[in-house]
Amino acid sequence: MATVTAIGDVHGCSSELVDLICEGNATADEIIFLGDLFDRTPYVEGDEAVLEIIQMAQEQPDLMDTSKVTVLRGNHEDMLIRAIEAGPESDWYELWESNGGDAAFYELACDHLDWLKSLPLYAIRGNYLFVHAGVRPGIPLEQQKESDLLWIREQFIDEPDHGLPYIIVHGHTIVNEIDITDNRINLDTGCFHTGNLSFMRFDYAKP
């Protein structure tokens, strides 16, 4: 058996992330961040701190008591990528900033564009599918649109059967507490305004 700890939307909550790490709650064979590491941070230079922590953990995963750290792309990483590629005078930059993007973080983020673009859209571990927003019900995984994996809400949340052979672990849609149904688990508890950075550990059989 292998273990993975999934961590919900961080949104620049560097203090809560440090507490989670220091308390040893994330301990597992692998840690998966579900995207939206940045934007809406409640702290000065919170995004900068989160970026440093995450990249250090990927390079030295033992710092988080794990063997591997996987970071998925969220819609906020996607907006940031597009804002960088289009430039600070673009509509994409305006969209990113209006959704909580910190102009002071932009220049540093530009230096990490390749890393941002390398972030995968989903990860499959056993019978769990980890993804930022969810999936469009009734569509095979290989036919899912990137925009749905990053942005979908009601069409996924309100559909009791998404049609895929996985329990889907996701964030993106804020809930008051971890939301668990038969075939999905939502770990986004709105840390940037609640101070609650949610996580959950999963066991699965290695192939």
Side-chain angles (χ1 to χ4, degrees):
M1 296 293 290
T3 57
V4 57
T5 294
I7 299 176
D9 304 35
V10 177
H11 278 301
C13 293
S14 53
S15 179
E16 289 81 357
L17 179 57
V18 168
D19 288 346
L20 189 156
I21 295 169
C22 291
E23 291 168 5
N25 291 325
T27 302
D29 296 320
E30 180 182 8
I31 293 171
I32 296 179
F33 286 89
L34 296 176
D36 282 10
L37 298 178
F38 315 116
D39 304 344
R40 300 174 178 164
T41 176
Y43 304 115
V44 175
E45 297 186 347
D47 290 335
E48 290 87 342
V50 168
L51 177 63
E52 182 179 359
I53 292 166
I54 296 296
Q55 291 192 332
M56 186 180 298
Q58 284 192 309
E59 294 170 3
Q60 299 175 268
D62 57 294
L63 295 175
M64 293 187 71
D65 291 327
T66 186
S67 298
K68 182 180 181 181
V69 174
T70 298
V71 180
L72 302 182
R73 186 187 304 185
N75 63 302
H76 281 261
E77 283 78 37
D78 194 62
M79 283 190 289
L80 178 54
I81 290 168
R82 294 175 186 273
I84 293 171
E85 291 183 330
E89 304 301 321
S90 66
D91 290 342
W92 275 108
Y93 181 92
E94 183 178 342
L95 178 65
W96 167 71
E97 194 171 34
S98 68
N99 278 275
D102 182 359
F105 178 60
Y106 182 77
E107 185 174 346
L108 176 61
C110 288
D111 293 336
H112 295 273
L113 177 60
D114 288 343
W115 177 78
L116 289 165
K117 293 176 70 172
S118 75
L119 302 180
L121 294 174
Y122 63 86
I124 296 172
R125 303 291 184 266
N127 66 328
Y128 296 101
L129 170 65
F130 300 88
V131 64
H132 176 63
V135 298
R136 184 163 295 278
I139 304 297
L141 182 57
E142 62 274 11
Q143 296 178 22
Q144 292 282 333
K145 293 181 179 179
E146 180 177 305
S147 57
D148 285 333
L149 301 176
L150 294 170
W151 287 93
I152 199 168
R153 282 194 206 279
E154 289 81 6
Q155 301 96 324
F156 168 64
I157 298 294
D158 295 341
E159 174 56 58
D161 183 11
H162 52 67
L164 295 181
Y166 304 104
I167 297 172
I168 296 181
V169 183
H170 67 98
H172 185 58
T173 299
I174 296 175
V175 288
N176 291 326
E177 58 186 25
I178 294 174
D179 182 26
I180 302 174
T181 71
D182 290 338
N183 59 14
R184 64 171 185 80
I185 299 172
N186 184 352
L187 296 182
D188 183 8
T189 47
C191 187
F192 64 93
H193 69 83
T194 65
N196 180 18
L197 180 57
S198 290
F199 62 93
M200 185 174 285
R201 178 171 164 166
F202 303 89
D203 299 325
Y204 68 95
K206 282 188 172 182

